[in-house]
């Protein structure tokens, strides 16, 4: 899960929304962060505010990394708007802080003297934004521009957004199922938007059901591995082996599968310890940096089917497999994963509740 949004990032994002609404957009922006859907949405809102319909070709200038240098950018800045009050310049994936010393000085001077009719936006999509706060360039960006980070949204906001998206498709979904969709497919709008489209097209009735989601949604790896551990503790070893086989057949690297499985086993162990210590979901949320109580509650529910000894054994065996996979020359990752699965299957947990929960369906993607 992503880290909490900082106060500075939240303030910059809020200010951007206010400036778009009021029509008071600034002259310089740096856009970065993993939530590409949200970034592109607000870029679209900015274009609507700044560029009259039909005049985009004359007032919108776009640069790719290889096309950008201070001289070319200055030429675009000097282009006066045509039948519009402002121009907009978009620069994609240009790393300002890796530019030459001379170019950095030129950018610093350019940012300090941007005309009021220009809105210049640097967009970090494929590259990570890593400013060097010690430089004059960073000081110029801070003084004359705004840096906006588009991060994963809080679950409450995300649930509301999911419900709005389904309503736009003439469907309704309740909050609990929206949280299930987030658990299943991740909390990035960029990925969720396509899943919502698939589910909306598949559902035959207005109200979305869990069966609709399970039928067509593509689960993320964490959700699939959660199903794997549930199958093991439910005594359904054929299902566990089938899920593992599907993951390997799809080409998921064994080291990646083991990494996710090991993390889930550690989370499960911590949930079992939480139950032993009479602690609730808040403890797990804080311990693992979870963004909501929903995955924490699923861990608590799952931990009721495991005894403490089994959890310790599972974590230890996963660690041994990880060490062997990384350190033994010529180690067969698939074979080590299968051996781990067999060890877990051959040591059934002493469960408080041996009822097998509804598993997360795993669907192979093409």
């Amino acid at each position: 899960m992503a880290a909490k949004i900082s106060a500075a990032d939240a303030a910059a994002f809020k200010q951007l929304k206010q400036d778009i609404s009021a029509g008071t957009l600034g002259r310089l922006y740096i856009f970065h962060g993993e939530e590409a859907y949200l970034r592109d949405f607000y870029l679209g809102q900015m274009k609507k505010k700044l560029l009259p319909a039909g005049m985009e070709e004359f007032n919108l200038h776009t640069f790719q990394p290889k096309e950008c240098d201070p001289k070319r950018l200055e030429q675009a800045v000097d282009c006066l708007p045509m039948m519009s009050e402002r121009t907009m310049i978009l620069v994609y994936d240009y790393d300002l802080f890796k530019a030459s010393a001379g170019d950095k000085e030129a950018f610093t001077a350019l940012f300090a003297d941007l005309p009021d009719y220009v809105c210049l936006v640097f967009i970090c999509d494929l590259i990570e934004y890593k400013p060097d706060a010690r430089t004059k360039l960073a000081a110029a960006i801070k003084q004359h521009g705004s840096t906006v980070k588009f991060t994963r949204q809080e679950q409450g906001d995300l649930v509301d957004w999911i419900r709005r998206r389904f309503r736009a498709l003439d469907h309704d979904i309740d909050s609990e199922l929206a949280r299930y969709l987030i658990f299943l497919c991740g909390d990035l709008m960029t990925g969720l938007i396509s899943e919502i489209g698939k589910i909306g097209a598949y559902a035959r009735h207005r109200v979305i059901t869990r069966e609709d989601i399970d039928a067509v949604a593509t689960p993320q790896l964490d959700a699939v591995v959660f199903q794997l551990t549930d199958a093991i503790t439910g005594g359904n070893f054929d299902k566990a082996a089938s899920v593992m086989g599907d993951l390997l057949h799809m080409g998921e690297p064994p080291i990646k599968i083991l990494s996710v499985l090991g993390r889930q086993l550690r989370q499960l162990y911590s949930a079992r310890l939480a139950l032993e210590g009479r602690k609730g979901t808040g403890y797990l949320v804080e311990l693992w940096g979870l963004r909501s109580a929903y995955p924490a509650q699923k861990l608590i529910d799952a931990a009721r089917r495991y005894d403490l000894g089994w959890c310790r054994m599972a974590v230890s065996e996963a660690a041994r497999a990880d060490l062997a996979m990384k350190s033994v020359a010529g180690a067969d990752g698939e074979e080590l994963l299968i051996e781990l699965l067999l060890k877990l299957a051959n040591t059934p947990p002493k469960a408080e509740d041996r009822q097998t929960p509804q598993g997360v369906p795993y669907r192979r993607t093409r």
Side-chain angles (χ1 to χ4, degrees), residues 236-356:
N236 193 344
F237 306 123
D238 288 341
K239 182 178 179 180
S242 175
V243 173
M244 179 74 79
D246 281 345
L247 286 171
L248 293 171
H249 182 73
M250 284 176 60
E252 289 286 359
I255 190 66
K256 183 178 179 181
I257 298 173
L258 181 58
S259 174
V260 176
L261 177 58
R263 184 174 187 271
Q264 290 218 357
L265 290 173
R266 293 193 299 275
Q267 287 183 329
L268 198 61
Y269 184 24
S270 67
R272 183 67 247 181
L273 289 171
L275 286 173
E276 299 283 335
R278 301 185 179 228
K279 297 177 180 178
T281 56
Y283 169 77
L284 293 177
V285 168
E286 182 177 357
L287 178 66
W288 290 98
L290 304 177
R291 292 178 63 86
S292 75
Y294 187 85
Q297 186 60 56
K298 289 188 73 68
L299 284 169
I300 289 289
D301 292 342
R304 297 186 189 281
R305 302 189 302 276
Y306 299 71
D307 69 338
L308 197 58
W310 189 92
C311 290
R312 286 173 178 158
M313 178 278 299
V315 170
S316 296
E317 292 298 336
R320 289 192 184 95
D322 182 77
L323 180 62
M325 201 175 291
K326 292 176 179 176
S327 62
V328 177
D332 188 323
E334 292 189 14
E335 184 177 332
L336 287 169
L337 274 176
I338 293 170
E339 287 178 1
L340 173 61
L341 182 62
L342 290 173
K343 287 177 182 177
L344 298 180
N346 288 328
T347 313
K350 298 175 183 178
E352 292 181 16
D353 179 5
R354 291 307 303 269
Q355 293 181 357
T356 305

Side-chain angles (χ1 to χ4, degrees), residues 16 26 28-29 44 84 112-113 122 132 147 180 185 204 250 258 306:
L16 174 67
L28 174 63
Y29 291 94
S84 171
D113 196 31
F122 284 83
D132 186 346
T147 301
Y180 171 69
C185 300
R204 296 184 178 181
M250 284 176 60
L258 181 58
Y306 299 71

Side-chain angles (χ1 to χ4, degrees), residues 67-254:
E67 303 168 339
C68 184
D69 60 52
K71 186 175 181 180
R72 288 186 180 182
L73 197 56
E74 187 174 356
Q75 290 173 349
V77 167
D78 289 340
C79 289
L80 294 172
M82 180 177 292
M83 298 180 66
S84 171
E85 293 185 1
R86 304 194 64 179
T87 63
M88 191 173 188
I89 304 171
L90 305 181
V91 181
Y92 285 89
D93 290 322
Y94 183 86
D95 198 329
L96 287 164
F97 293 91
K98 286 187 178 179
S100 66
D103 282 355
K104 286 180 183 177
E105 289 184 10
F107 281 126
T108 300
L110 179 64
F111 295 164
D113 196 31
L114 287 173
D116 291 337
Y117 61 78
V118 166
C119 181
L120 171 59
V121 187
F122 284 83
I123 302 158
C124 298
D125 182 23
L126 302 178
I127 65 171
E128 186 178 358
Y129 181 60
K130 292 183 177 180
D132 186 346
R134 302 167 298 177
T135 62
K136 292 181 180 179
L137 178 58
I141 292 172
K142 184 176 181 180
Q143 181 179 355
H144 303 289
S146 177
T147 301
V148 183
K149 185 177 183 180
F150 294 90
T151 61
R152 298 170 189 257
Q153 299 298 286
E154 296 294 335
Q155 187 167 89
D157 295 334
L158 201 53
V159 166
D160 291 341
W161 175 78
I162 289 172
R163 300 190 71 183
R164 290 196 301 272
R165 294 301 307 175
F166 273 112
R167 281 197 294 270
L169 299 174
D170 293 324
H171 288 292
D172 290 323
I173 185 171
D174 64 35
S175 297
E176 185 65 19
L177 272 182
R179 285 190 283 270
Y180 171 69
L181 180 62
I182 295 168
F183 173 78
L184 189 69
C185 300
D187 58 356
L188 275 176
M189 291 178 171
T190 309
L192 284 169
I193 191 67
S194 61
E195 300 299 331
I196 291 170
K198 288 193 298 183
I199 297 164
Y202 173 84
R204 296 184 178 181
H205 304 287
R206 183 173 181 86
V207 177
I208 298 296
T209 65
R210 176 161 174 167
E211 287 71 26
D212 294 329
I213 296 173
D214 291 346
V216 295
T218 304
Q220 61 179 345
L221 181 59
D222 282 11
V224 179
V225 174
F226 197 94
Q227 177 200 15
L228 178 65
T229 55
D230 269 357
I232 292 170
T233 55
N236 193 344
F237 306 123
D238 288 341
K239 182 178 179 180
S242 175
V243 173
M244 179 74 79
D246 281 345
L247 286 171
L248 293 171
H249 182 73
M250 284 176 60
E252 289 286 359

